Coordinates of all heavy atoms in Angstrom, one line a residue:
F89 N 145.1 155.2 88.2 CA 144.9 154.6 86.8 C 143.4 154.3 86.5 O 142.8 154.6 85.5 CB 145.8 153.4 86.8 CG 145.6 152.6 85.5 CD1 146.1 152.9 84.3 CD2 144.8 151.4 85.5 CE1 145.9 152.2 83.2 CE2 144.5 150.6 84.3 CZ 145.2 151.1 83.2
V90 N 142.8 153.7 87.6 CA 141.3 153.2 87.4 C 140.4 154.5 87.2 O 139.5 154.4 86.3 CB 140.9 152.4 88.7 CG1 139.3 152.2 88.6 CG2 141.7 151.0 88.6
L91 N 140.7 155.5 88.0 CA 139.9 156.7 87.8 C 140.0 157.3 86.4 O 138.9 157.6 85.8 CB 140.3 157.8 88.8 CG 139.6 159.1 88.8 CD1 138.1 159.0 89.0 CD2 140.3 160.0 89.9
A92 N 141.0 157.3 85.9 CA 141.2 157.9 84.4 C 140.6 157.0 83.5 O 140.0 157.5 82.6 CB 142.7 158.0 84.2
E93 N 140.8 155.7 83.7 CA 140.1 154.7 82.7 C 138.7 154.7 82.7 O 138.0 154.5 81.8 CB 140.7 153.3 83.0 CG 142.1 153.1 82.5 CD 142.5 153.3 81.1 OE1 141.8 152.7 80.2 OE2 143.3 154.2 80.8
T94 N 138.1 154.9 83.9 CA 136.7 154.8 84.1 C 136.1 156.1 83.4 O 135.1 156.1 82.8 CB 136.3 154.9 85.6 OG1 136.8 153.8 86.2 CG2 134.8 155.0 85.8
L95 N 136.8 157.3 83.6 CA 136.4 158.5 82.9 C 136.3 158.3 81.4 O 135.5 158.7 80.7 CB 137.3 159.7 83.3 CG 136.8 160.6 84.3 CD1 138.0 161.4 84.9 CD2 135.6 161.3 84.0
K96 N 137.4 157.7 80.9 CA 137.5 157.5 79.3 C 136.4 156.6 78.9 O 135.8 156.9 77.9 CB 138.9 156.9 79.0 CG 140.0 157.9 79.3 CD 141.4 157.3 79.1 CE 142.5 158.1 79.5 NZ 143.8 157.4 79.4
T97 N 136.2 155.6 79.7 CA 135.1 154.6 79.3 C 133.7 155.2 79.3 O 132.9 155.2 78.4 CB 135.1 153.3 80.1 OG1 136.4 152.7 80.1 CG2 134.0 152.4 79.8
L98 N 133.5 156.0 80.4 CA 132.3 156.8 80.5 C 132.0 157.7 79.3 O 130.9 157.9 78.8 CB 132.1 157.5 81.9 CG 130.9 158.3 82.0 CD1 129.6 157.4 82.2 CD2 131.1 159.1 83.4
G99 N 133.1 158.5 79.0 CA 133.0 159.5 78.0 C 132.7 158.8 76.7 O 131.9 159.4 75.8
A100 N 133.2 157.6 76.4 CA 133.0 156.9 75.1 C 131.5 156.4 75.1 O 130.8 156.5 74.0 CB 134.0 155.9 74.9
E101 N 131.2 155.7 76.2 CA 129.8 155.0 76.1 C 128.7 155.9 76.3 O 127.6 155.8 75.7 CB 129.8 153.9 77.4 CG 130.7 152.8 77.2 CD 130.7 151.8 78.3 OE1 130.0 152.2 79.4 OE2 131.3 150.7 78.2
A102 N 128.9 157.0 77.0 CA 127.8 158.1 77.1 C 127.9 159.2 76.1 O 127.1 160.0 76.1 CB 127.9 158.7 78.6
Q103 N 128.9 159.0 75.3 CA 129.1 160.1 74.1 C 129.1 161.4 74.6 O 128.4 162.3 74.1 CB 128.0 159.8 73.0 CG 127.9 158.4 72.5 CD 126.9 158.3 71.4 OE1 125.8 159.0 71.4 NE2 127.1 157.4 70.3
I104 N 130.0 161.7 75.7 CA 130.1 163.0 76.2 C 130.8 163.9 75.2 O 131.9 163.6 74.8 CB 130.8 162.9 77.6 CG1 129.9 162.1 78.6 CG2 131.1 164.3 78.2 CD1 130.5 161.9 79.9
E105 N 130.3 165.1 75.1 CA 130.8 166.1 74.2 C 131.0 167.4 75.0 O 130.2 167.7 75.8 CB 130.1 166.3 73.0 CG 129.8 165.1 72.0 CD 131.1 164.8 71.3 OE1 132.0 165.6 71.3 OE2 131.1 163.7 70.8
P106 N 132.0 168.2 74.7 CA 133.1 167.8 73.7 C 134.0 166.8 74.2 O 134.2 166.7 75.5 CB 133.8 169.2 73.5 CG 133.6 169.9 74.9 CD 132.3 169.4 75.4
R107 N 134.8 166.2 73.4 CA 135.7 165.1 73.7 C 136.8 165.6 74.6 O 137.4 164.9 75.4 CB 136.3 164.3 72.5 CG 135.1 163.5 71.7 CD 135.7 162.9 70.6 NE 134.6 162.1 69.9 CZ 134.9 161.4 68.8 NH1 136.1 161.3 68.2 NH2 133.8 160.8 68.2
S108 N 137.1 166.8 74.3 CA 138.3 167.4 75.1 C 138.0 167.5 76.6 O 138.8 167.7 77.4 CB 138.6 168.8 74.6 OG 137.5 169.6 74.7
L109 N 136.6 167.5 77.0 CA 136.3 167.7 78.3 C 136.9 166.4 79.2 O 137.4 166.7 80.3 CB 134.7 167.7 78.5 CG 134.1 167.7 79.9 CD1 134.6 169.0 80.6 CD2 132.6 167.7 79.8
I110 N 136.7 165.3 78.7 CA 137.3 164.1 79.5 C 138.8 164.2 79.5 O 139.5 164.0 80.6 CB 136.9 162.7 78.7 CG1 135.4 162.6 78.7 CG2 137.6 161.6 79.4 CD1 134.8 162.5 80.2
A111 N 139.5 164.6 78.5 CA 140.9 164.8 78.5 C 141.4 165.8 79.6 O 142.3 165.6 80.2 CB 141.4 165.1 77.1
E112 N 140.5 166.9 79.7 CA 140.8 168.0 80.6 C 140.8 167.5 82.1 O 141.6 167.7 82.8 CB 139.8 169.1 80.4 CG 140.2 170.3 81.2 CD 139.3 171.5 81.0 OE1 138.4 171.4 80.0 OE2 139.4 172.5 81.7
V113 N 139.8 166.6 82.4 CA 139.6 166.1 83.7 C 140.8 165.2 84.0 O 141.3 165.0 85.1 CB 138.3 165.4 83.9 CG1 138.1 164.7 85.3 CG2 137.1 166.4 83.6
C114 N 141.1 164.3 83.1 CA 142.3 163.3 83.1 C 143.5 164.1 83.4 O 144.3 163.6 84.2 CB 142.3 162.5 81.9 SG 141.2 161.2 81.7
E115 N 143.7 165.2 82.9 CA 144.9 166.0 83.2 C 144.9 166.4 84.7 O 145.9 166.5 85.4 CB 144.9 167.3 82.4 CG 145.4 167.0 80.9 CD 145.2 168.2 80.0 OE1 145.1 169.3 80.7 OE2 145.6 168.1 78.8
C116 N 143.6 166.7 85.2 CA 143.5 167.1 86.6 C 143.9 165.9 87.5 O 144.6 166.1 88.6 CB 142.1 167.6 86.9 SG 141.6 169.1 86.2
I117 N 143.5 164.7 87.2 CA 143.8 163.5 87.8 C 145.3 163.3 88.0 O 146.0 163.2 89.1 CB 143.3 162.2 87.1 CG1 141.7 162.3 87.3 CG2 143.7 161.0 87.8 CD1 141.1 161.3 86.4
A118 N 146.0 163.4 86.7 CA 147.5 163.4 86.8 C 148.2 164.4 87.6 O 149.1 164.1 88.4 CB 148.1 163.3 85.4
G119 N 147.6 165.6 87.5 CA 148.2 166.7 88.2 C 148.1 166.7 89.8 O 148.8 167.4 90.5
N120 N 147.1 166.0 90.2 CA 146.8 165.9 91.7 C 147.1 164.6 92.3 O 146.8 164.3 93.5 CB 145.2 166.2 91.8 CG 144.9 167.7 91.7 OD1 145.0 168.5 92.6 ND2 144.4 168.0 90.5
S121 N 147.9 163.8 91.6 CA 148.2 162.6 92.2 C 149.7 162.4 92.3 O 150.4 162.2 91.4 CB 147.7 161.3 91.4 OG 148.1 160.1 91.8
E122 N 150.2 162.4 93.6 CA 151.6 162.1 93.8 C 151.9 160.7 93.5 O 153.1 160.3 93.2 CB 152.0 162.5 95.3 CG 151.9 164.0 95.5 CD 152.2 164.3 97.0 OE1 152.6 163.3 97.8 OE2 152.1 165.4 97.4
A123 N 150.8 159.8 93.7 CA 151.1 158.4 93.5 C 151.4 158.0 92.1 O 151.8 156.9 91.8 CB 149.8 157.6 94.0
S124 N 151.2 158.9 91.1 CA 151.6 158.6 89.7 C 153.0 158.6 89.4 O 153.3 158.2 88.4 CB 150.8 159.6 88.8 OG 151.2 160.9 89.0

Side-chain angles (χ1 to χ4, degrees):
F89 173 79
V90 170
L91 177 57
E93 289 302 303
T94 302
L95 264 168
K96 293 173 186 177
T97 300
L98 178 65
E101 293 182 350
Q103 299 181 333
I104 294 175
E105 297 290 347
R107 295 182 181 180
S108 60
L109 178 59
I110 296 297
E112 188 177 354
V113 178
C114 286
E115 288 178 7
C116 292
I117 295 171
N120 284 275
S121 177
E122 295 180 0
S124 61

